[in-house]
Amino acid sequence: MNTLLKSVTIVNGNTKNLHLKKRDILIKNGVIDAIETNIEPIGKTKIIDIKNLHVSIGWFDSGVSFGEPGYEERETIENGLLTAAKSGFTDVVLNTSSHPTPDSSSDIVYLKNAAKDQLTNLHPLGNLTVKGEGEVLAELYDMQNAGAKGFYDFKHPMSNANLLKIALQYAQNFEGLVFSFPLDKSISGKGIVNEGITSTKLGLKGIPALAEELQVARDLFILEYTGGKLFIPTISTANSVKLIADAKKKGLQVFCSVAAHNLLITDDALEDFDTQYKVMPPLRTAADVKALQKGIKNGTIDLVTSDHTPLNIELKHVEFDNADFGSIGLESIFGILNTILGFEESVSLLTRGRSIFGMEDINLEVGQEANLTLFTTEESFEFSEQNIRSSSKNAIAIGEKMKGKVVGTIANNQLVLNN
């Protein structure tokens, strides 16, 4: 079937003469056939004509978690990818949060096979160490050959500095991307929220910013010694931004991301002991949020991720101390970013990053395969459970005021539209 997008505003077109211009876009058999001021439909054509409709190349998320295998009740790969598609994402990188965790080439093949024939492309990570236990390196080279886009013990810091050194040295032989979660557990201890005025007032054990920053500083020293490519996921403090900015000025190949909720919500939200706000890294102060937003704008922070982490209801509906860390975020990331930054900067953030993971960049041009996200920019709403498409409902963004909605996605000769 052909698809005709009528009078859509093109955002971040690869040619300047298309950026923010209204055009009709005709897609035939999954390929962009024409981009013109007016195109008349011929034959069997699905016409999408929506007020304030915008289009960009498909969005990319560098860090999502699903449940399968092992935690299918939280989220299957199939429903997770459908949720991603309805949230605007045509490519997602899958964290190593399943059970068992993927630490061999056969595990990577299983994940890729489970995601076949979906609109949204799944790009799995492999464990950095066997079983994510931080003791012995996993089969990095074999996993990369099977399709792994990097190596990460999900949310587990690499406490063994020598093992990180060896990993960075070894992975250089095949351009491997090594992840290191920014947390020094000897400093964080049993902390569960940001250490500060709020944690003291509420009587909750704190995680000092120092716990993140010491790990970031250590990892950057190791990277400077070894060379290679290091990815630091979901930083959350002002000093982490400064440390990474300084490292980039030295020419080190360091990349980092920030979770969308850490750009919006501060630890003041914890005052009601709502476990939806228990995330890792924790919500920080207003000064940290301001520094993270500045780091996004000046390019120090490479990517914004949803940090999508589905959890069973019983892992959240308990006392705050006993609740698990994590929030879903695919459905809310665009609304958060558009509210903070406006749609142009939001789309720029959501469409970058593929090259960091060794993926080809995509283009919005005639003759190219259609890999597109459709969205509006002005519609204001309050995020609620009705906006959630994930199997799990642990959403930190519930109650937040947002602007702009995803209409659908087009990729792999498929079209998914929201109702």
Side-chain angles (χ1 to χ4, degrees), residues 204-218:
L204 296 172
K205 293 176 182 175
I207 301 174
L210 179 66
E212 174 174 309
E213 294 154 6
L214 273 180
Q215 190 83 1
V216 170
R218 186 208 73 170

Side-chain angles (χ1 to χ4, degrees), residues 87-152:
S87 302
F89 294 92
T90 59
D91 291 273
V92 296
V93 173
L94 182 67
N95 289 318
T96 55
S97 56
S98 58
H99 182 73
T101 56
D103 58 10
S104 68
S105 57
S106 59
D107 294 330
I108 300 300
V109 170
Y110 168 83
L111 292 169
K112 290 180 71 68
N113 286 338
K116 275 185 178 178
D117 303 321
Q118 302 296 318
L119 183 150
T120 298
N121 302 306
L122 182 143
H123 306 279
L125 297 174
N127 270 124
L128 183 58
T129 65
V130 174
K131 296 182 181 179
E133 294 176 347
E135 296 180 359
V136 180
L137 287 184
E139 302 172 1
L140 308 188
Y141 180 69
D142 289 345
M143 286 193 288
Q144 180 143 320
N145 285 341
K149 295 299 182 183
F151 310 106
Y152 181 26

Side-chain angles (χ1 to χ4, degrees), residues 178-193:
V178 174
F179 281 63
S180 180
F181 185 66
L183 183 71
D184 185 325
K185 282 198 168 182
S186 67
I187 299 292
S188 66
K190 295 182 180 180
I192 55 175
V193 298

Side-chain angles (χ1 to χ4, degrees), residues 66-75 97-100 110 312:
F66 301 142
E68 185 180 353
Y71 303 113
E72 285 83 358
E73 73 280 4
R74 299 179 186 179
E75 192 78 275
S97 56
S98 58
H99 182 73
Y110 168 83
N312 311 49

Side-chain angles (χ1 to χ4, degrees), residues 1-6 40-41 45-49 417:
M1 178 188 289
N2 300 334
T3 302
L4 178 60
L5 310 178
K6 292 293 292 181
E40 294 297 330
T45 300
K46 181 174 183 61
I47 300 173
I48 301 176
D49 189 357
L417 294 175

